[in-house]
Amino acid sequence: MGALTDPLVIGKMSFGSRLLLGTGKFSGASVMVDAVKASGCNLITVALRRFNRENPNDDLYARLARLDGLTIMPNTSGARNAAEAVQAALIGRELTGNSFLKLEIHPNPHHLMPDPIETYDAAKKLVALGFTVLPYMPADPVLAKRLEEAGCAAVMPLGSGIGTGHGLATSEMIELIIANSRIPVIVDAGLRSPSD
């Protein structure tokens, strides 16, 4: 494993920053854009529902697309099954011209836990369609290896539940995933701060 200053290589792309940001939970679009600029991140994930060509004031994609050195990665947040995720991915690729995709499937809006079966099914289909797939997943070492074998470019196990701020509640499982992975492992969700 390289130093934290080494570039993050995902698929065929290299990023100078290892920090990925999402676009949720900001008080407004201008605050979010300022945070992205201040963070120095090169990769940001945006839910398709935040793409709004008909209302430029509510269109995060247009604001983010103007920033230099930033790759915008659509995500399938809100998809409840593999079919919905594949459909959202195809729309995201058409809108951005980019095959990078954060795959998120969480059928229960109350806890937003990822569905491992639908995620695996969607990942196989999306890899076959030429996407660079980064699946949000439970911290499950077996699933992580299966997703790697299916051709995912990275895996994104949860640190703890989305929005909980519980930190690395799954650290033991994440250590197993890292030890057995040949692709990047990006801890996602529930972190208190970047130091987690």
Side-chain angles (χ1 to χ4, degrees):
M1 182 166 191
L4 291 181
T5 56
D6 291 346
L8 172 62
V9 178
I10 301 174
K12 296 178 181 176
M13 292 191 67
S14 179
F15 302 95
S17 172
R18 291 173 169 262
L19 177 66
L20 281 71
L21 287 182
T23 54
K25 305 293 184 192
F26 289 97
S27 61
S30 61
V31 172
M32 183 267 309
V33 170
D34 289 344
V36 170
K37 288 178 185 176
S39 75
C41 75
N42 302 125
L43 185 58
I44 189 162
T45 179
V46 181
L48 279 179
R49 66 182 177 272
R50 305 303 303 268
F51 288 63
N52 190 349
R53 291 180 176 172
E54 293 165 11
N55 183 356
N57 294 329
D58 190 40
D59 184 14
L60 292 186
Y61 176 72
R63 291 171 186 246
L64 292 169
R66 291 191 289 263
L67 300 179
D68 290 330
L70 188 64
T71 296
I72 299 170
M73 178 171 58
N75 72 49
T76 62
S77 177
R80 295 168 296 176
N81 56 49
E84 289 181 8
V86 170
Q87 181 180 22
L90 292 168
I91 292 168
R93 181 163 64 183
E94 184 176 325
L95 289 170
T96 64
N98 157 9
S99 292
F100 260 66
L101 177 77
K102 181 179 179 190
L103 174 60
E104 287 188 56
I105 300 175
H106 33 75
N108 188 325
H110 301 294
H111 59 60
L112 302 178
M113 289 291 132
D115 182 317
I117 296 165
E118 294 292 317
T119 298
Y120 179 70
D121 185 34
K124 290 191 303 181
K125 291 173 181 170
L126 291 164
V127 167
L129 290 169
F131 283 89
T132 302
V133 181
L134 289 77
Y136 167 61
M137 55 167 284
D140 177 340
V142 174
L143 177 60
K145 185 49 80 174
R146 294 279 171 93
L147 288 165
E148 177 183 318
E149 291 167 352
C152 290
V155 291
M156 301 180 77
L158 56 83
S160 57
I162 290 176
T164 64
H166 288 162
L168 288 174
T170 60
S171 60
E172 188 175 328
M173 293 296 106
I174 289 172
E175 287 175 12
L176 288 172
I177 293 169
I178 292 169
N180 292 292
S181 183
R182 294 177 311 207
I183 58 176
V185 177
I186 302 165
V187 179
D188 187 14
L191 302 183
R192 292 181 295 255
S193 68
S195 63
D196 285 332

